[in-house]
Amino acid sequence: MTTVTKLAVTGMTCGHCVSAVTNELRNVKDVQDVSVELHVGAESLVRVISRLPLAEAPLREAIDEAGYDVTGVDVLEDAVAAESAAQAPARQANRTLPIVSS
């Protein structure tokens, strides 16, 4: 099972900010990967990948240590299955039926 924890983070303005947040979060136990979608002047989206759900406090502490604020947290458990289910309607719409001539 894969869990994606999405964190809304304010105050990030550059690549150094992204690097600082990424490095701090990678030091949190059980974090497998981190990706950051930087939005200067708005909330940036930080995705933390783990096998199991992570405690919120260590994630908030890591971002605080990097110098930024968490304004929202969303946890998506069994992320692969959830993303696959969300994409299913689009995959179905792209399929076409074969033309059968009589």
Side-chain angles (χ1 to χ4, degrees):
M1 178 167 69
T2 300
T3 300
V4 176
T5 305
K6 297 178 183 178
L7 305 160
V9 179
T10 59
M12 298 173 65
T13 60
C14 64
H16 174 74
C17 301
V18 170
S19 179
V21 167
T22 300
N23 290 336
E24 289 295 332
L25 286 170
R26 284 190 175 150
N27 289 325
V28 173
K29 185 179 182 216
D30 296 325
V31 168
Q32 293 180 311
D33 196 19
V34 177
S35 66
V36 179
E37 192 176 299
L38 180 64
H39 297 281
V40 178
E43 291 178 333
S44 294
L45 177 61
V46 179
R47 289 182 184 89
V48 180
I49 310 296
S50 59
R51 284 203 176 107
L52 298 173
L54 300 170
E56 188 176 320
L59 299 175
R60 285 182 175 274
E61 289 169 10
I63 290 174
D64 184 59
E65 182 68 27
Y68 307 97
D69 296 314
V70 175
T71 57
V73 178
D74 184 31
V75 177
L76 179 59
E77 294 184 42
D78 202 4
V80 173
E83 286 179 4
S84 180
Q87 294 171 358
R91 284 194 306 269
Q92 288 291 59
N94 289 333
R95 291 188 181 160
T96 57
L97 296 174
I99 298 174
V100 178
S101 54
S102 50

